[in-house]
Amino acid sequence: MAIDNDRPKEACGVVGVFAPGEDVARLTYYALYALQHRGQESAGIAVSEGEAILVVKEMGLVAQVFDETTLRSLPGQLAIGHVRYSTTGGSRWENAQPIYREGRNLSVALAHNGNLVNTHELAGDLERSANRGVITSTDSDVIAEMIARSSRESVEEAILEVLPQLRGAFTLTMMDENTVFGARDPHGLRPLVLGSLPAGYVLASETCALAIIGAEFIREVEPGELIVIDKDGYRSHRYAEASPALCIFEYVYFARPDSVLYGKSVQSVRYNMGMRLAAEAPAEGDIVVPVPDSARGAAQGFAAASGIPYGEGLVKNAYVGRTFIQPTQAIREQGIRTKLNPITSMIEGKRLVVVDDSIVRGNTTRQIVRMLREAGAAEIHMRISSPPIQWPCFYGIDTANRDELIGAWKSVDEIARHIDADSLSYLSLEGMVESTEVAEEKFCHACFSSKYPIPIPENVRVTKHMLEEPPLEAPARPAG
Ligand code: AMP
Ligand code: SF4
């Protein structure tokens, strides 16, 4: 049995649709399409007409995986869907979701966003209780397997038995032949919302997936809550006490700007972050340029607060995936050029204030600065709308091991030199949190602060070296 939980692997998008009489595969397709920014590696849909679960999944973007013919071959009354975010090494068909598992009495399809931190223990328990070999390779497989193997009468009971045993980040949409389920971990690290359709209900990672399929927002699924949707409507089970710690990186980078989290528009929060950044780290410049797409809101806020005009100086090719989906460093560096191109007429001879949302390894940022210099920029002042990332994420966002995080081993001045910017400043932790207008205790911000809301088991630490001290002498000293 190979357990592949050596690194956080996904920050995916999940969907669940219960709508008898509707083309549920098509609704799921469009919802996944709106969640494409959450993962470009693979896409999949599972449907049921009430008798059996059918799954189609493949590597690629939603529109590459599904066409008219495939969608027509997926009739049903309920469906779940998944788009998967990739990481180094984990780019395999077997990792595509939804996962389907069949036990003696129960069958389940499951779509997972997040990362468990106790996969090894759970898999060990499964193995000991199994009479035959267990085919598990990921934390998501383990969850599906535990549900399918349960001796409970129904999938609903099995899920309620399994959820309290899971540690880490999980937003799940699941289904049996007749029921759709949606659950969030007790911290609600990853988002999930519930919406209504004219003939049913929908669950989706973000609110931006609702409008496209004509759904109305009802509410967020609560941390520690299981929502069950069937022909009688929807009902809620609280399987654990809520201790909210939404990933603040959802506001910074992951979520789409037209989504709403904790009742706050992601665009407005990014705008606030940019305004705050302009106050904390002013810059002299002729134009404020965003790194598209995720930094636009912050750049607009920076421009408004500083009085420096906003201007698009970089064009993003919308049809390539995010650079991180490329598996090797060489390809990743090449990928930047295929993804972004400078608009010379906007840049030439100007002092640029370039706003981006985050720096992880520093590779992309360095490339961008070089590209802008080649395009004739007079000065480049980088402003980052979140603090330095200094700690790895164990909850499903691939922010690299600690030794790869440039913010963990270089001071801000050293990073500025490394990326060859004339100046570099980051938003403070306090500034980032206050920009959300949500209480700090309702967030995880561990990658900036090392305050992990869920303890990381020792075996993950030791075997995976994720928290090892960086190789170089300089400890992280965020300045300003
Ligand atoms: P780098 O300079 O190589 O650290 O890359 C910084 C860029 O990566 C920024 O433009 C961010 O918007 C983007 N970014 C931040 N976090 C992630 C992530 N988890 N996956 C992909 N891209 C990211
Ligand atoms: Fe989000 Fe960072 Fe917490 Fe991971 S460690 S869940 S990326 S805030």
Side-chain angles (χ1 to χ4, degrees), residues 400-411:
N401 287 356
R402 187 147 199 244
D403 58 3
E404 296 171 274
L405 295 171
I406 195 167
W409 52 279
K410 281 188 192 286
S411 70

Side-chain angles (χ1 to χ4, degrees), residues 43 67 101-102 115 122 133 204 210 212 234 292 316 318 387 421 433 465:
D67 58 17
R101 283 287 186 280
E102 216 177 273
N115 194 65
L122 296 172
L210 298 180
I212 192 171
Y234 78 87
K316 183 173 175 177
V433 172
H465 309 294

Side-chain angles (χ1 to χ4, degrees), residues 112-131:
H112 176 203
N113 172 200
N115 194 65
L116 299 189
V117 297
N118 65 335
T119 314
H120 275 281
E121 288 142 67
L122 296 172
D125 293 349
L126 257 182
E127 184 118 289
R128 277 187 291 280
S129 69
N131 300 322

Side-chain angles (χ1 to χ4, degrees), residues 262-301:
Y262 276 156
K264 308 284 176 191
S265 140
V266 171
Q267 166 68 14
S268 311
V269 169
R270 289 185 184 161
Y271 192 90
N272 291 346
M273 288 170 170
M275 289 189 54
R276 177 76 178 244
L277 183 58
E280 288 185 5
E284 297 254 316
D286 304 311
I287 181 169
V288 177
V289 175
V291 177
D293 293 321
S294 43
R296 280 211 177 91
Q300 285 155 1

Side-chain angles (χ1 to χ4, degrees), residues 85 249 253-254 291 294 324 356-365 397-399:
Y85 186 73
F249 214 65
Y253 169 79
F254 245 98
V291 177
S294 43
F324 275 45
D356 204 352
D357 55 84
S358 55
I359 297 180
V360 184
R361 296 174 176 88
N363 295 329
T364 312
T365 314
I397 288 193
D398 183 20
T399 48

Side-chain angles (χ1 to χ4, degrees), residues 196-380:
S196 65
L197 286 161
Y201 295 96
V202 56
L203 294 156
S205 290
E206 290 180 39
T207 57
C208 68
L210 298 180
I212 192 171
I213 59 168
E216 298 265 343
F217 174 76
I218 299 177
R219 65 175 175 85
E220 291 185 357
V221 176
E222 295 288 320
E225 184 183 30
L226 170 71
I227 296 277
V228 182
I229 310 171
D230 61 17
K231 60 179 179 5
D232 300 323
Y234 78 87
R235 56 187 182 277
S236 154
H237 295 278
R238 184 159 286 288
Y239 71 88
E241 203 178 310
S243 168
L246 176 71
C247 167
I248 203 161
F249 214 65
E250 291 280 346
Y251 281 119
V252 171
Y253 169 79
F254 245 98
R256 228 169 72 163
D258 53 337
S259 284
V260 175
L261 299 163
Y262 276 156
K264 308 284 176 191
S265 140
V266 171
Q267 166 68 14
S268 311
V269 169
R270 289 185 184 161
Y271 192 90
N272 291 346
M273 288 170 170
M275 289 189 54
R276 177 76 178 244
L277 183 58
E280 288 185 5
E284 297 254 316
D286 304 311
I287 181 169
V288 177
V289 175
V291 177
D293 293 321
S294 43
R296 280 211 177 91
Q300 285 155 1
F302 195 107
S306 64
I308 304 170
Y310 173 90
E312 297 270 344
L314 290 163
V315 169
K316 183 173 175 177
N317 178 352
Y319 304 103
V320 293
R322 291 186 171 182
T323 49
F324 275 45
I325 74 168
Q326 310 293 355
T328 67
Q329 175 84 1
I331 298 174
R332 193 181 290 132
E333 283 183 14
Q334 274 213 341
I336 292 157
R337 268 277 162 177
T338 55
K339 179 176 130 171
L340 283 176
N341 217 29
I343 306 173
T344 308
S345 62
M346 293 294 287
I347 289 163
E348 220 165 14
K350 299 218 177 85
R351 295 172 303 162
L352 311 182
V353 181
V354 180
V355 179
D356 204 352
D357 55 84
S358 55
I359 297 180
V360 184
R361 296 174 176 88
N363 295 329
T364 312
T365 314
R366 195 172 146 150
Q367 299 268 323
I368 289 170
V369 172
R370 190 189 304 156
M371 214 158 63
L372 292 170
R373 288 214 188 279
E374 283 167 10
E379 287 173 24
I380 298 171

